[in-house]
């Protein structure tokens, strides 16, 4: 079927599937059904083992793969060229990707290359009969904007506010190998240093204790780390204290940090700015400790402690340790 809707993954996470893939597939299935077109999944690079099973659960018709040796170390110029090659062969009506750092870099360039519309930060999509209405966040999550796009489009979807639903249909996806010519591509972006990806990731943590500027001094970040350790979780941080070097960027939660979805998120001395909340509102239970009873974070928290986190954090650590 032509003008299929294509979910594209090229930045597989540690388990091989990009975080939020199933949420985006759920949304993609809705649009594909409204249009009466196939939903396909394009994997650029090595195909993670779980792709076929997940694709089948979401009614995917074809699992396409571009597996060129040059893509082993995925680089933006190569990815844009590979995707543009795919688009010229398959002419998808809509190409969706989970919004990651790489997607931000690639989607606009791809759209420019193939003459398609592009919308990033998408949280919902509706078919308009030939086009699509994309609802997207703007100004760091403070507002929402609706775009009407006629014709083909590339969209980066923020999977976080979406919920994966059990697939209503199942399929036996056909695997197709797609060849594209990457011979003439010169990678202009050189990676000179990679952030360490050793150890557990904040995005996967079930329990996070995060600290903000209310901790007052860098030494007090240890109070957050101690409670996180006692609870068997990980320590998170708001951006200002990362900027000030109290901890490293791997711990930053929020719009320009990590998007987390723990069972428990405990925020100590964090005001609740929208840019921070983007990274933790998917938590099942949010607990806030703040001296200001009117702090914005209490609007999001299921449990609030109005108090000094320099006193409350050690008391909680002691209680958890049974002291
Ligand atoms: C484009 C953009 C992207 C951004 N991305 C991010 C991001 O990814 N992550 C992020 O976190 N921020 C981000 N920010 C910054 C964001 O807007 C806020 O400035 C930041 O989240 C505030 O951090 P904070 O809550 O630690 O500090 P503050 O806003 O200063 O809040 C400190 C809080 O601590 C409370 N407090 C003070 N003393 C105590 C005490 N002893 N005990 C308990 N509570 C106390 C205060 O009442 C206050 O509510 C971004 C901003 C922009 C413009």
């Amino acid at each position: 079927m032509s003008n299929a809707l294509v979910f594209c993954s090229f930045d597989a996470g540690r388990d091989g599937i990009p975080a939020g893939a199933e949420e985006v597939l759920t949304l993609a299935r809705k649009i594909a059904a409204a249009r009466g077109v196939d939903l396909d999944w394009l994997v650029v690079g090595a195909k993670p083992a779980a792709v076929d099973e997940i694709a089948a659960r979401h009614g995917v018709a074809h699992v396409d793969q571009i597996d060129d040796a040059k893509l082993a170390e995925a680089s933006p110029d190569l990815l844009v060229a590979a995707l543009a090659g795919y688009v010229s062969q398959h002419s998808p009506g809509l190409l969706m990707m989970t919004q990651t750092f790489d997607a931000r870099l690639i989607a606009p360039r791809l759209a420019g290359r193939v003459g398609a519309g592009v919308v990033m930060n998408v949280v919902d999509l509706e078919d308009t009969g030939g086009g699509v209405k994309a609802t997207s966040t703007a100004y760091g999550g403070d507002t929402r904007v609706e775009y009407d796009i006629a014709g083909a489009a590339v969209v980066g979807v923020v999977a976080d506010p979406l919920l994966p639903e059990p697939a209503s249909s199942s399929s036996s996806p056909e695997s197709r190998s797609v060849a594209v010519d990457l011979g003439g591509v010169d990678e202009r972006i050189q990676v000179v240093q990679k952030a360490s990806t050793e150890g557990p990731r904040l995005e996967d943590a079930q329990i996070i204790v995060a600290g903000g500027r209310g901790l007052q001094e860098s030494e007090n970040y240890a109070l957050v780390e101690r409670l996180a350790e006692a609870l068997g979780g990980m320590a998170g941080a708001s951006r200002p204290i990362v900027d000030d070097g109290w901890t490293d960027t791997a711990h930053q939660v929020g719009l320009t940090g990590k998007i987390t979805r723990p069972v428990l998120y405990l925020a100590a001395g964090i005001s609740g700015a929208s840019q921070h909340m983007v990274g933790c509102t998917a938590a099942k239970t949010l607990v806030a400790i703040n001296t200001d009873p009117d702090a914005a974070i209490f609007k999001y928290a299921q449990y609030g402690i109005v108090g000094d986190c320099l006193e409350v954090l050690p008391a909680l650590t002691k209680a958890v340790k049974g002291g």
Side-chain angles (χ1 to χ4, degrees), residues 67-185:
D67 194 13
D68 189 299
K70 285 185 113 181
L71 293 164
E73 280 291 319
S75 316
D77 287 315
L78 283 165
L79 283 167
V80 171
L83 288 166
Y86 178 86
V87 170
S88 70
Q89 290 176 36
H90 292 259
S91 305
L94 190 63
L95 200 134
M96 302 170 67
M97 40 186 87
T98 52
Q99 179 142 330
T100 56
F101 181 80
D102 288 332
R104 283 177 203 271
L105 209 58
I106 286 150
R109 290 176 57 193
L110 172 66
R113 181 87 59 99
V114 301
V118 62
V119 188
M120 305 305 288
N121 302 315
V122 169
V123 291
D124 197 14
L125 284 171
E126 264 177 57
D127 182 58
T128 54
V132 77
K133 184 171 88 177
T135 306
S136 156
T137 61
Y139 298 112
D142 281 345
T143 190
R144 296 208 164 183
V145 183
E146 287 180 358
Y147 298 89
D148 271 314
I149 310 170
V154 180
V155 294
V157 182
V158 181
D160 210 48
L162 306 169
L163 286 177
E165 290 162 17
S168 55
S169 59
S170 63
S171 60
S172 308
E174 181 192 335
S175 293
R176 301 186 298 199
S177 177
V178 179
V180 293
D181 181 11
L182 300 175
V185 183

Side-chain angles (χ1 to χ4, degrees), residues 213 216 238-239 252-256 271 275-276 290 308-309:
R213 217 154 24 190
Q216 321 279 339
S238 69
R239 179 168 158 170
Q252 186 187 318
V253 174
L255 185 70
T256 43
S271 58
Q275 295 88 358
H276 183 83
N290 201 301
D308 184 347
C309 62

Side-chain angles (χ1 to χ4, degrees), residues 200-234:
R201 302 187 315 166
L202 205 60
E203 299 93 306
D204 302 327
Q206 292 297 297
I207 296 175
I208 296 175
V209 181
R213 217 154 24 190
L215 288 166
Q216 321 279 339
E217 290 173 15
S218 64
E219 296 75 54
N220 293 333
Y221 189 68
L223 301 177
V224 166
E225 293 174 320
R226 270 181 223 137
L227 179 57
E229 191 189 349
L231 288 167
M234 290 184 70

